[in-house]
Amino acid sequence: MKRLFLAITLSISVFARAQSGEEAKFNMQKFILGNDQIVAVVEDTTITRDDILKRLAPFAQKIQQTARSEREFNAEIERLSQEILQDLIDRAIIVKDFRKQGMKIPESKLDGIMEDDLKRKFNGDRSELIKYLKSQNKTLKQYRTEVEENVIVSVMENRQKLTFSEISPARIIEFYNENKDKWYTPESVNISQITISEDTAEAATEKAKKILDEIKGGLDFSDAAKKYSKDEKASAGGEWGWYKKGQLNPILDKAVFSLEKGATSEVINIANYAYILKVNDKKAEGITPIDEVREQIEYAISSENARIEYRKWLKRLRDKAYIKYY
């Protein structure tokens, strides 16, 4: 198996060192498709060298750019080739299992997916799609089959997933206690802000002080922001939302975290800008309560369970399948 991939690797990887000693460059011209050498047979599906090369080609140049030597390049190409072959094998046995169970993808669904692909990938231009298929040595029928198989694989994978209702409350608590460091949050504040910009710092400060006097005199902070602020959140009443300690400009950070909930700052100057901040709410640092992260925990557990069940299911399919390597 390893020798097979080494042969594939050496047939497509050519490094040529310039006399100047520059980094060796990958010769993309050696990526010649159309070689029908059989690599493996899975049930009634044949996988060829060409199938692997088509999937490998988009990654080869990036691998070449990051590889520090020909040996490292070949090793990465070989690793990726094996990964691609395994994926093609798994795809074949999943599709086979789907059809064996008598399931079908409605033609109307395939039509819709292909129409979406045409709009998204080819700007709705069918001639561009045909041009692409020719470059890949594919017919429209083969393309449709490929789309159908993508849907089949997705459907079969999703069938292995567990629902949130299958996760016990005890498991949620256990996961929460095992991963408390994930739920730690630093001190944070929810702020509103008024931004004043003038030609000079003095002019900005003078204007901001007058606005602050209006706020102290009873003008609602939100109304003041809508009327005077010069930033993107002005129309929203200056509401900027939640910030963790250390996320803001150091000067603003120091000011807001020294305020109590509901308090408004004095005028703060940074360059030619003047700011007035209000702390709408505060949260102390600590571990987020379990009820606030329950959905995240359910999703994490469900995803892990799905991965485990999927691997078990795929192993059963592999064990039963006829697979022959050449």
Side-chain angles (χ1 to χ4, degrees):
M1 180 77 164
K2 188 172 181 180
R3 289 179 180 177
L4 163 68
F5 280 106
L6 184 58
I8 290 176
T9 298
L10 293 177
S11 69
I12 64 175
S13 62
V14 176
F15 273 75
R17 290 194 176 276
Q19 292 182 352
S20 61
E22 294 180 354
E23 182 72 23
K25 298 298 181 184
F26 175 69
N27 186 347
M28 293 299 290
Q29 297 302 317
K30 292 297 179 180
F31 256 96
I32 302 173
L33 304 182
N35 186 320
D36 291 329
Q37 177 182 334
I38 295 175
V39 175
V41 172
V42 188
E43 300 291 355
D44 54 359
T45 300
T46 299
I47 298 173
T48 67
R49 176 177 175 271
D50 186 46
D51 294 326
I52 295 175
L53 291 179
K54 282 179 179 177
R55 288 198 173 198
L56 189 61
F59 303 99
Q61 190 167 19
K62 184 176 181 180
I63 294 172
Q64 177 269 319
Q65 290 170 348
T66 57
R68 291 168 293 184
S69 66
E70 181 178 355
R71 181 176 181 178
E72 185 176 308
F73 174 83
N74 285 338
E76 181 60 16
I77 288 290
E78 182 176 332
R79 183 200 66 76
L80 188 55
S81 297
Q82 294 187 45
E83 187 178 294
I84 290 170
L85 177 58
Q86 186 61 64
D87 183 66
L88 289 170
I89 289 171
D90 291 343
R91 180 185 177 91
I93 60 179
I94 289 171
V95 170
K96 180 78 173 182
D97 188 60
F98 177 89
R99 301 197 190 285
K100 186 178 179 181
Q101 294 183 46
M103 294 187 288
K104 290 184 178 180
I105 304 298
E107 293 298 319
S108 58
K109 182 171 183 176
L110 286 179
D111 290 339
I113 292 172
M114 291 188 70
E115 195 62 34
D116 287 343
D117 274 359
L118 182 65
K119 291 176 183 177
R120 183 166 48 88
K121 297 178 181 178
F122 306 100
N123 296 317
D125 189 340
R126 191 166 292 274
S127 64
E128 287 298 314
L129 168 61
I130 300 301
K131 188 186 300 182
Y132 165 76
L133 293 178
K134 284 183 178 179
S135 72
Q136 298 294 306
N137 296 318
K138 292 179 185 176
T139 64
L140 194 58
K141 184 177 180 180
Q142 288 173 323
Y143 177 63
R144 187 180 180 85
T145 299
E146 187 178 289
V147 170
E148 181 185 21
E149 290 181 352
N150 288 340
V151 177
I152 289 172
V153 171
S154 178
V155 168
M156 295 297 276
E157 287 177 350
N158 287 334
R159 290 185 70 194
Q160 310 310 311
K161 293 182 180 179
L162 302 178
T163 63
F164 288 165
S165 61
E166 295 174 287
I167 302 170
S168 69
R171 177 61 185 125
I172 291 174
I173 293 172
E174 180 185 29
F175 188 92
Y176 176 78
N177 290 330
E178 288 174 351
N179 298 275
K180 278 196 172 179
D181 56 319
K182 291 183 178 180
W183 319 123
Y184 168 80
T185 54
E187 185 181 1
S188 56
V189 290
N190 183 294
I191 65 169
S192 291
Q193 174 179 298
I194 296 173
T195 305
I196 303 302
S197 173
E198 297 293 337
D199 292 337
T200 65
E202 291 77 11
T205 300
E206 184 179 349
K207 185 172 182 179
K209 285 181 177 178
K210 290 179 180 178
I211 296 169
L212 184 58
D213 286 340
E214 288 189 53
I215 293 172
K216 290 179 178 179
L219 178 62
D220 183 75
F221 192 97
S222 177
D223 291 337
K226 291 176 182 177
K227 184 177 181 180
Y228 297 114
S229 190
K230 302 297 182 183
D231 60 41
E232 60 192 85
K233 299 293 184 179
S235 61
E239 293 185 13
W240 281 81
W242 287 96
Y243 286 88
K244 296 174 183 177
K245 195 167 187 176
Q247 285 188 311
L248 294 166
N249 175 289
I251 297 174
L252 300 180
D253 195 83
K254 183 178 179 181
V256 294
F257 281 97
S258 66
L259 295 172
E260 296 298 323
K261 177 180 175 179
T264 300
S265 73
E266 295 299 319
V267 175
I268 303 167
N269 298 105
I270 301 177
N272 288 347
Y273 291 87
Y275 300 91
I276 304 170
L277 301 173
K278 180 182 178 182
V279 175
N280 302 315
D281 200 357
K282 295 188 79 170
K283 289 181 182 178
E285 67 174 338
I287 305 298
T288 305
I290 189 170
D291 287 341
E292 294 184 27
V293 294
R294 187 176 296 275
E295 285 189 10
Q296 295 177 44
I297 294 172
E298 288 176 338
Y299 180 80
I301 296 174
S302 179
S303 297
E304 180 56 29
N305 286 344
R307 283 191 291 270
I308 292 171
E309 291 304 310
Y310 176 74
R311 286 194 291 266
K312 288 179 180 177
W313 169 70
L314 196 54
K315 184 179 185 303
R316 290 195 297 269
L317 290 185
R318 290 171 180 169
D319 291 343
K320 291 188 298 181
Y322 171 80
I323 304 172
K324 183 174 181 180
Y325 298 98
Y326 288 87

